[in-house]
Amino acid sequence: MKHKVIRNIQRASAETIRLLGEYGTATVHEAQSRTGLMRPYLRPIYPDARAAGSAITVSCQPGDNLMIHAAVEVCQPGDILVVTTTSESTDGMFGELLATSLHARDVVGLVIDAGVRDVSELTAIRFPVWSKAVSAQGTVKASPGSVNVPVICGAAQVNPGDVIVADADGVVIVPRAKAEAVAKASADRVAKEERSRERLRNGELGVDFYGLREKLKQLGVEDVDSAE
């Protein structure tokens, strides 16, 4: 396999990314037909972490963070680093020094299907990270990999320039070419949910206005007055 660093990628518009970030992971996931969600083991290192940006993808050898360093140079403001390894790893491949470097380039976060360290420092500087593990196990800088190639992260495919939306609910990928359409669908979903929320505030039951009573009957669920 030939290893490479692709320096230039296409990105969604900043406004589309901003909107998707405001809608959040759960709404965006639903709006794009429940696709693109990474596995729930990728968790934020602090509870209120949230980020949205263009994916700079990194493929590393396990226990080796050389390609993360190589990726920093091609990052632009508003990007999110998405890191995976060629086989499973929980080593602490990212810490406060790398975060400082990314901060200087206005990178808005990291999603890594491996481990991170220096969590207290990362939290203190409010650098948003979603990782599989936290580990003080160090890494080397010795093996080749690639930057801005398609990768699998959290069991989901990520292409360079895809939009990443991440918050306390997890991480979702929006294909770049569909980002504007998904943003519109997310807006429609938010409006629909607000109408439903108002009906619930007024005392209506979801079982009624979602038409679920008939569904329950079809499934053979019976109403009885008591257990006797």
Side-chain angles (χ1 to χ4, degrees):
M1 176 182 176
K2 186 176 181 180
H3 302 288
K4 55 191 173 184
V5 175
I6 298 175
R7 304 185 65 83
N8 297 304
I9 63 169
Q10 292 183 297
R11 295 167 171 84
S13 73
E15 177 62 11
T16 297
I17 293 170
R18 183 190 68 80
L19 288 171
L20 289 168
E22 288 184 356
Y23 296 134
T25 297
T27 294
V28 170
H29 177 240
E30 293 283 350
Q32 63 174 2
S33 303
R34 300 182 182 180
T35 61
L37 195 63
M38 290 189 184
R39 290 286 174 85
Y41 61 69
L42 289 168
R43 301 305 304 152
I45 61 169
Y46 54 89
D48 59 342
R50 62 184 302 134
S54 298
I56 297 294
T57 61
V58 187
S59 176
C60 297
Q61 298 294 321
D64 192 314
N65 71 355
L66 173 64
M67 298 313 298
I68 300 179
H69 286 272
V72 174
E73 185 178 14
V74 303
C75 288
Q76 295 184 9
D79 287 342
I80 287 183
L81 217 56
V82 179
V83 179
T84 190
T85 55
T86 55
S87 60
E88 187 173 358
S89 175
T90 57
D91 293 345
M93 297 179 62
F94 183 93
E96 184 260 338
L97 292 178
L98 270 168
T100 299
S101 184
L102 290 176
H103 245 323
R105 302 184 75 86
D106 293 322
V107 174
V108 298
L110 168 80
V111 178
I112 181 168
D113 201 348
V116 296
R117 60 180 186 270
D118 301 338
V119 169
S120 295
E121 291 86 348
L122 292 172
T123 301
I125 64 174
R126 306 302 285 175
F127 188 78
V129 174
W130 288 258
S131 70
K132 176 166 63 177
V134 173
S135 174
Q137 177 64 52
T139 55
V140 299
K141 300 170 179 61
S143 307
S146 292
V147 176
N148 281 333
V149 298
V151 299
I152 301 296
C153 184
Q157 180 165 330
V158 186
N159 293 305
D162 285 349
V163 179
I164 304 297
V165 179
D167 52 32
D169 288 330
V171 184
V172 66
I173 307 103
V174 181
R176 180 185 58 80
K178 298 180 179 179
E180 288 188 18
V182 173
K184 183 181 184 306
S186 297
D188 292 342
R189 182 170 183 82
V190 168
K192 179 181 177 181
E193 287 183 345
E194 181 53 35
R195 291 191 295 271
S196 296
R197 188 175 296 110
E198 187 61 27
R199 294 177 73 175
L200 292 168
R201 288 194 191 106
N202 291 332
E204 290 189 62
L205 295 175
V207 73
D208 290 321
F209 67 76
Y210 289 135
L212 300 180
R213 290 195 187 278
E214 185 60 32
K215 172 67 73 173
L216 289 167
K217 290 179 181 178
Q218 292 173 0
L219 294 174
V221 180
E222 298 179 352
D223 278 334
V224 293
D225 290 332
S226 68
E228 296 180 354

